Amino acid sequence: QSVLTQPPSVSGAPGQRVTISCSGTNSNIGAGYDVHWYRQLPGTAPKLLIFGNNRPSGVPDRFSGSKSGTSGSLAITGLQAEDEADYYCQSYDSTLTGWVFGGGTKLTVL
Amino acid sequence: QVQLQESGPGLVKPSETLSLSCTASGDSITNYNWDWIRQPPGKGLEWIGYMYSNGKTNYNPSLKSRVTISVDTSKTQLSLTLSSVTAADTAKYYCARRRGWLSPLEYWGQGTLVTVS
């Protein structure tokens, strides 16, 4: 049981916009800690996709992150086949004094 | 180009101690903050613990009694030990690097699969 809650799966057609939610509590996202997002392709290590509301160099602006209250959200616009992957959210938890992750969301491009 | 590489035995017997190393090319271990993360087959990510550049460590409460993160005396490798392992500890283990306290995990190793059997 993950501390942060994500939908197990989302899907969308090429070109569409999808969002992935990440629900936390007042000891993590609700306490003001940033939400980071990682993308994991099969058999590979997770890779940083979004940190807070920012993108690392090389990540297209089709990807964006936001936060409101105790939840964070990852939005992907102009969906492409190559976006098929597992996506994980992460935040800091002041009760655990460490990182917490979401359970991951599998994105399928129809 | 930062490259991280985990290494260690791929098979550990139940009740024994799992020991892994993480080598970073391109920079000193002691200049950054480090985390160990694991991922059971087909499941999500679990934070194991961290070591800051000042040597401070903190561990996931669910693992705290069994885990130790340290830097070897040559300060070229990060180490993870997990004692009294069970089948539930079977996972791919990753080391990851971050800059500051709340910075994201910017660089990850490729991971090493450890099976407890």
Side-chain angles (χ1 to χ4, degrees), chain B residues 61-73:
Chain B
S62 68
L63 301 170
K64 189 171 185 175
S65 63
R66 300 192 290 130
V67 66
T68 302
I69 296 174
S70 61
V71 174
D72 72 349
T73 53

Side-chain angles (χ1 to χ4, degrees), chain B residues 21-24 27-31 51 70-79:
Chain B
S21 295
C22 173
T23 302
D27 214 328
S28 169
I29 287 279
T30 55
N31 288 346
M51 169 172 270
S70 61
V71 174
D72 72 349
T73 53
S74 66
K75 301 190 187 302
T76 59
Q77 287 189 329
L78 180 75
S79 299

